[in-house]
Amino acid sequence: MKVHILSRELIKPSSPSPNHPPTYKLSFFDQLAPPVHTPLLFFYTASADFSKEPAGSHERLERLKKSLSETLTLFYPQAGRFVKDDLLVDCNDQGAEFLEARVNVGLMDFLSEAPNNLELLNRFVPWDFGAATSAATPMVVIQVTAFECGGLAVGVQTSHIIADAFTNSAFIHAWATASRSGIAAVNRPWFELPSLFPSRDLSAVLNVPPCKVAEAKVRSS
């Protein structure tokens, strides 16, 4: 099984930065989060009316990109970059990184083999994007991999610095809703936690070294 990365690009919010605050200050709880990206992986079978012709695949991919761009206008910290020294996210609309990939097996064939070799799952999640604490690293990195049958794997890496499990779930649900029903159907998120629980000086009591991204990968026993 071979996964080929076909392209990688930055997907920026569809609306410019004046429509949201220029920075997102971390909350106290954000400070306590491990400075890593957390992976999520989803598999989707092809719909009954999906065409495996190039035009059908291109249309589906472009819809995912467009809906992601629209979703980032609501989840604007996810399109920014982390500024470690200031404990904030610069909401500069640099965007989420988006990788398009293709694999030379069918989805059902892969899922039948994966339980015997869990490390195969790592090939459908992006890993090469730098440390979560780097100002050059995207807050969100996504890899969409097409199977020979038309099925898809969507791997999402999101910085734990600004997104816990609930936020990740809300982001994925919003993106899926925008892709399926349009951005008007998405509930607007609320980013006021730092005003309730502002960040504090924890330098004297908290000194957690950055985690290596590779250590978070799935490993077979």
Side-chain angles (χ1 to χ4, degrees):
M1 186 189 76
K2 180 67 175 178
V3 176
H4 297 275
I5 303 298
L6 303 178
S7 65
R8 57 196 309 158
E9 62 182 293
L10 289 174
I11 303 296
K12 299 187 176 184
S14 57
S15 297
S17 57
N19 291 333
H20 60 63
T23 61
Y24 172 78
K25 191 73 174 177
L26 298 192
S27 72
F28 172 68
F29 296 107
D30 294 327
Q31 284 182 273
L32 300 177
V36 297
H37 281 64
T38 54
L40 292 171
L41 181 57
F42 306 90
F43 294 100
Y44 301 92
T45 57
S47 60
D49 59 350
F50 173 70
S51 170
K52 290 189 285 186
E53 296 299 321
S57 299
H58 177 75
E59 179 184 357
R60 181 175 62 176
L61 190 67
E62 289 304 308
R63 185 168 68 250
L64 287 173
K65 292 180 182 180
K66 178 177 182 293
S67 56
L68 175 61
S69 176
E70 293 171 336
T71 303
L72 289 172
T73 65
L74 301 180
F75 289 79
Y76 55 88
Q78 273 79 341
R81 296 295 183 269
F82 181 52
V83 182
K84 181 178 179 181
D85 292 341
D86 295 331
L87 292 177
L88 58 79
V89 175
D90 182 3
C91 301
N92 52 21
D93 294 339
Q94 288 194 26
E97 189 166 19
F98 188 97
L99 286 70
E100 177 190 359
R102 185 170 299 159
V103 64
N104 61 343
V105 297
L107 175 57
M108 292 301 121
D109 292 335
F110 168 75
L111 292 179
S112 65
E113 175 62 25
N116 301 318
N117 188 0
L118 292 178
E119 291 186 7
L120 292 175
L121 297 173
N122 293 320
R123 304 184 188 183
F124 298 93
V125 179
W127 297 101
D128 182 19
F129 48 79
T133 53
S134 171
T137 300
M139 308 303 287
V140 176
V141 186
I142 296 168
Q143 178 179 321
V144 175
T145 306
F147 290 87
E148 287 185 336
C149 61
L152 285 180
V154 179
V156 182
Q157 290 267 23
T158 306
S159 175
H160 202 337
I161 295 172
I162 62 163
D164 58 10
F166 179 82
T167 305
N168 275 336
S169 177
F171 176 75
I172 295 298
H173 183 266
W175 182 21
T177 300
S179 180
R180 182 177 59 251
S181 305
I183 193 64
V186 175
N187 293 325
R188 183 174 294 272
W190 183 74
F191 292 110
E192 299 300 327
L193 189 63
S195 65
L196 301 176
F197 301 97
S199 57
R200 305 177 185 178
D201 182 6
L202 301 179
S203 58
V205 295
L206 187 62
N207 186 19
V208 180
C211 298
K212 294 181 180 179
V213 171
E215 293 178 353
K217 291 185 178 181
V218 175
R219 300 191 184 279
S220 298
S221 58

